[in-house]
Amino acid sequence: MSTNQSSRRKFIRNISLGFGATALSPALSSFAFRSSSPEKKLGIALVGLGSYSTYELAPSFQFTKNCYLAGIVTGTPSKEKIWREKYNIPQKNIYNYQNFDSIADNPDIDIIYVVLPVFLHKEYTIRAAKAGKHVICEKPMSLTVADCEEMIAACKKSNRLLSIGYRLHFEPYTMEMMRLGQHKLFGKVLNIDCANGFVWGGDPNAWRLKKALAGGGGLMDMGVYTIQGARYVTGEEPIYVTAREEKTKPDLFKEVDETVFYQLEFPGGAVANGKSSYNANWNDLKVKAESGWFELTEAYRYNGMKGATSNGPMTFDPNVHQQALQMDDFANCVVQNKISRIPGEEGLKDMKVVEAIYRSIASGKKERI
Ligand code: NAD
């Protein structure tokens, strides 16, 4: 690495993030200006090389402009060779869970992307921040609201940026739903129907079916997208929730929820009827407003999004590289010392709703969020 690159990396590591502040110091603002299309890409290390890292995140680096796959963290030695060769990753940028903290000394790694089972999100986010790295953490953010708060506090304390892997915030159909809803382009939003689920055909011993490792079932994994949907269409935080659970395969879903139905009440009067499932194929986000409707009938996918309004079909590119756009945006936020549009607080807000849904299922009553 040239001295120039190395000092730039050190500079990025050392900048104080000044959370909440929009004004940049003169030195930083000139740097940020030059780097709005960075001439040097930031290095990302993926932690956890399971299916999302393997089939979505790693391949998406061929489309990134502001960042590249610089390193990996894996507990499976056989994966090291495969990834080293496939992605040309130098041995010095390959870590395991034992030597992970020494990543602090590696200037090639600017950002750590936590792609582990949910119960490990908090630990690795906090360790990454303590190692001086900026962090992207996958959804759902963690097991509890208290965990999410700890993660946010740890990143603040280390002056590092934290973002959640909500890729849809960079997807044009989703962005259109946000625009139509938040700007009330069809009048006030009255009703939202949002559903996400698939029929579990996988390993009955998978971590996703264990409460201690996943925090919950279909709601934690698929339902967060519907909660996001209701929140980003209204641009509001729900106040009350009423929820119930249905279980048709109690042996398979011994520890976690199979199908959850919930109703959210928003301060502006909108009501969202959501459902999540590990036993039904659902994927939509439908909105009725005062003077029309808008909907996605493929609403949360990696590609192949589909949508329409009461004025006609939506005609955006349904196959943008969501993960590439998401990671590029975060790299740009790091360079520009700017809070991401999907900061830790977004994950925290969703977890508040998730916890209230579980409370309502347990109590059988309407719960305040
Ligand atoms: P996965 O089971 O395929 O991979 C998990 C990885 O973690 C594996 O490589 C496994 O070896 C590793 N691991 C390390 N320690 C482990 C432990 N103690 N127990 C079990 N596994 C351990 O899971 P995935 O589908 O890649 O999901 C990982 C994360 O990414 C989850 O939080 C998930 O919700 C999220 N995800 C997000 C999206 C998205 O669209 N944003 C899509 C899929 C998954």
Side-chain angles (χ1 to χ4, degrees), residues 46 69 83 94 99-100 117 129 144 172 207 212 299 303 308 338 346-347 352 361 364:
L46 295 177
L69 179 57
W83 282 66
I94 297 179
N99 66 15
F100 172 75
T144 63
W207 64 264
N303 47 48
K338 197 176 81 179
E346 264 301 290
K352 285 184 175 169
I361 291 170

Side-chain angles (χ1 to χ4, degrees), residues 304-325:
M305 305 285 283
K306 212 160 124 190
T309 77
S310 39
N311 291 341
M314 292 186 196
T315 53
F316 303 102
D317 178 358
N319 299 315
V320 298
H321 301 291
Q322 299 171 17
Q323 291 86 354
L325 293 169

Side-chain angles (χ1 to χ4, degrees), residues 23-306:
L24 298 171
S25 69
L28 184 55
S29 61
S30 69
F31 175 81
F33 178 73
R34 272 191 290 114
S35 304
S36 55
S37 63
E39 69 283 2
K40 177 73 188 81
K41 296 179 173 190
L42 300 199
I44 295 189
L46 295 177
V47 186
L49 307 180
S51 67
Y52 193 54
S53 282
T54 304
Y55 302 111
E56 302 301 330
L57 294 175
S60 73
F61 282 103
Q62 63 191 295
F63 305 106
T64 53
K65 296 190 186 80
N66 305 337
C67 57
Y68 73 106
L69 179 57
I72 51 173
V73 182
T74 176
T76 314
S78 59
K79 289 183 186 169
E80 291 187 12
K81 183 172 183 293
I82 298 168
W83 282 66
R84 189 175 58 228
E85 288 171 4
K86 185 162 185 189
Y87 294 104
N88 201 18
I89 298 169
Q91 186 61 41
K92 70 178 179 62
N93 292 357
I94 297 179
Y95 293 83
N96 55 47
Y97 298 109
Q98 284 69 48
N99 66 15
F100 172 75
D101 302 294
S102 64
I103 208 164
D105 304 320
N106 190 333
D108 289 357
I109 313 294
D110 302 293
I111 295 165
I112 287 176
Y113 197 151
V114 179
V115 203
L116 289 163
V118 184
F119 77 106
L120 294 169
H121 287 186
K122 176 173 90 166
E123 176 185 341
Y124 281 88
T125 294
I126 293 175
R127 283 170 72 179
K130 281 192 176 151
K133 307 301 179 182
H134 302 280
V135 188
I136 308 175
C137 175
E138 258 313 320
K139 48 61 58 179
M141 185 169 171
S142 194
L143 299 173
T144 63
V145 166
D147 278 4
C148 299
E149 285 167 345
E150 257 187 79
M151 292 158 78
I152 291 169
C155 291
K156 269 191 186 155
K157 192 168 168 212
S158 298
N159 267 345
R160 301 295 85 179
L161 286 175
L162 170 61
S163 179
I164 307 301
Y166 287 137
R167 57 186 163 76
L168 291 166
H169 286 246
F170 304 90
E171 192 287 316
Y173 285 81
T174 305
M175 289 163 76
E176 179 66 354
M177 294 295 279
M178 295 176 186
R179 189 180 77 89
L180 297 174
Q182 292 178 23
H183 293 281
K184 301 185 171 56
L185 297 179
F186 287 95
K188 249 173 72 161
V189 170
L190 304 174
N191 244 288
I192 302 171
D193 285 304
C194 41
N196 195 19
F198 68 95
V199 179
W200 183 275
D203 179 3
N205 297 311
W207 64 264
R208 279 185 166 85
L209 302 186
K210 297 196 171 25
K211 179 139 173 56
L213 310 191
L219 179 64
M220 284 287 279
D221 194 18
M222 310 307 285
V224 288
Y225 289 96
T226 60
I227 295 167
Q228 274 274 297
R231 290 184 48 246
Y232 57 61
V233 162
T234 55
E236 295 177 2
E237 298 309 319
I239 314 172
Y240 293 107
V241 64
T242 314
R244 71 183 171 87
E245 187 189 348
E246 217 172 74
K247 204 169 279 207
T248 61
K249 294 178 178 166
D251 289 343
L252 184 58
F253 303 109
K254 260 194 303 286
E255 296 188 24
V256 299
D257 48 284
E258 176 186 311
T259 301
V260 168
F261 300 88
Y262 68 84
Q263 183 172 81
L264 301 178
E265 295 173 43
F266 287 86
V271 171
N273 290 298
K275 47 190 188 176
S276 61
S277 186
Y278 269 162
N279 198 29
N281 291 312
W282 293 324
N283 207 299
D284 54 47
L285 175 61
K286 299 180 172 181
V287 182
K288 285 195 189 75
E290 281 170 324
S291 57
W293 54 265
F294 44 105
E295 66 178 30
L296 301 185
T297 44
E298 298 292 347
Y300 314 105
R301 301 203 188 276
Y302 301 144
N303 47 48
M305 305 285 283
K306 212 160 124 190

